[in-house]
Amino acid sequence: MARMYVESWAPEYGASVLHDSELIPTDGMVDPEVEQVQWSAVRPPADCVAEVGEVGFVDGVRRVDARLSVDDGHTIVPGLFGSLAVGATHWDRTVPRATFGEVRTERLALIAAGRSDVVPSAGLGYQSVAVPSDDPGELVRQLHERMRVAEAELAAALADRGCPIVVADGPVNSLKARSIVGLIKTHRVNYLAEPQLDAVRTLAAGDRTPLFLLDGARFARYSWYVKLAEVPGGHLWSGVCRCEVAAAVGLDRAVALADCSAVLLPTAAPALHTDPRAPQNLVPIAALEKRLRRELGDARLVYRALRQAAAEGTP
């Protein structure tokens, strides 16, 4: 008889895993034997993080502030006003204390069909960006991509300054040998088959799977799954996140980062009743998201200012 589960994530955030029929088969090579260990749950020793004095968490938020139409008398071209902010939370484990670090914001006026008109932006500093495509959906994708690029640049800057481990919300975006761990909360791609999936089923909180190598269209990465917390009544993927690092770091460093992630990340996981995306939406990242949304300003005031500037034709 089939079992039924109620997802721990709030409905407005979808589910942490797509249904089996929706999982996308990976389009690259997967090598599950790179760590050369038996495929079963791995429990790293707690002292593997003894030398990790700081952990950086990087995330970004984006917002569509208003839809834009450019009418040149012949055609109407779609566009949008969008804002984004990226920032970091620094977890000083020697104190212990977490503080917010640098925040970077951008305001963009994206216009389709390759147009780069000067737009009325209410003095808020929107930069006009020409998007070659005529597809209105591409405007949002471009805004999202600009946010991802800004996140990758900030994560790289933290790692280059000497932060021992940087946890970036989402896949890693650099092939360079940096200690940046990508944290993927939602499972969309099917990377493993039996018997490797058995190792995921047996994970307890604080366990990880062995590493597997992903060599696809982007670049080679080492990846692994971590169980962040026990979810009562959960299924195979409940409380599980996927992590990855660029393969350029080397196998030994990747294994060390995987061990550290299995010890550190569960301690940063929120209680199930405190966050709509618990336990995958880590506390330092959730707090950072709230801070970044404040940096974008009040959405209603921004929208009203843009409407007024467009009506008056003021920059």
Side-chain angles (χ1 to χ4, degrees):
M1 181 177 177
R3 292 188 61 190
M4 294 186 181
Y5 304 90
V6 175
E7 294 288 344
S8 59
W9 281 26
E12 62 267 27
Y13 289 99
S16 62
V17 60
L18 301 182
H19 293 274
D20 287 345
S21 60
E22 299 174 305
L23 284 174
I24 305 167
T26 179
D27 59 356
M29 183 194 74
V30 178
D31 181 359
E33 304 300 334
V34 289
E35 198 172 344
Q36 297 183 347
V37 295
Q38 180 181 357
W39 256 88
S40 59
V42 177
R43 173 57 62 104
D47 61 2
C48 71
V49 297
E51 301 301 320
V52 180
E54 179 187 359
V55 182
F57 296 86
V58 173
D59 196 12
V61 298
R62 60 175 175 81
R63 184 181 71 198
V64 175
D65 295 324
R67 293 287 177 174
L68 169 68
S69 295
V70 179
D71 185 353
D72 61 6
H74 302 285
T75 58
I76 296 179
V77 177
L80 63 80
F81 290 100
S83 299
L84 65 91
V86 301
T89 302
H90 299 274
W91 177 16
D92 185 349
R93 300 184 63 247
T94 64
V95 177
R97 180 180 61 187
T99 56
F100 295 122
E102 178 182 358
V103 172
R104 303 176 183 180
T105 60
E106 288 186 60
R107 296 193 188 274
L108 305 172
L110 300 110
I111 308 175
R115 298 182 63 113
S116 56
D117 301 63
V118 176
V119 296
S121 57
L124 294 173
Y126 285 86
Q127 174 189 351
S128 185
V129 177
V131 177
S133 174
D134 292 327
D135 179 8
E138 185 63 22
L139 300 171
V140 176
R141 287 190 286 271
Q142 286 291 325
L143 178 62
H144 184 77
E145 180 60 23
R146 291 288 287 256
M147 181 190 72
R148 285 300 185 199
V149 169
E151 288 176 339
E153 290 174 348
L154 180 55
L158 292 182
D160 291 343
R161 289 177 203 158
C163 185
I165 300 177
V166 178
V167 178
D169 192 48
V172 291
N173 289 291
S174 173
L175 54 78
K176 293 187 177 181
R178 295 186 175 102
S179 295
I180 299 174
V181 176
L183 175 70
I184 296 89
K185 298 192 286 281
T186 304
H187 306 286
R188 302 183 184 276
V189 180
N190 187 16
Y191 292 108
L192 299 178
E194 304 293 352
Q196 285 80 29
L197 281 176
D198 284 337
V200 180
R201 293 188 181 96
T202 61
L203 292 178
D207 288 348
R208 69 169 177 88
T209 65
L211 271 62
F212 49 100
L213 177 67
L214 303 176
D215 195 355
R218 292 168 57 224
F219 52 86
R221 297 105 68 206
Y222 290 115
S223 188
W224 62 96
Y225 291 101
V226 174
K227 182 88 168 201
L228 296 172
E230 301 295 342
V231 178
H235 52 70
L236 167 63
W237 298 106
S238 297
V240 175
C241 67
R242 186 174 66 83
C243 298
E244 63 179 31
V245 296
V249 302
L251 180 59
D252 290 345
R253 181 58 180 158
V255 170
L257 288 169
D259 284 346
C260 289
S261 72
V263 173
L264 292 171
L265 298 187
T267 67
L272 297 182
H273 67 279
T274 62
D275 190 288
R277 288 174 288 171
Q280 287 94 324
N281 200 39
L282 303 180
V283 171
I285 291 177
L288 179 60
E289 287 176 342
K290 292 179 181 178
R291 165 72 184 275
L292 295 177
R293 289 192 181 99
R294 289 198 298 270
E295 292 290 331
L296 296 183
D298 187 287
R300 294 166 297 179
L301 294 178
V302 171
Y303 177 72
R304 188 166 62 192
L306 290 172
R307 287 288 305 273
Q308 182 175 349
E312 297 173 352
T314 56

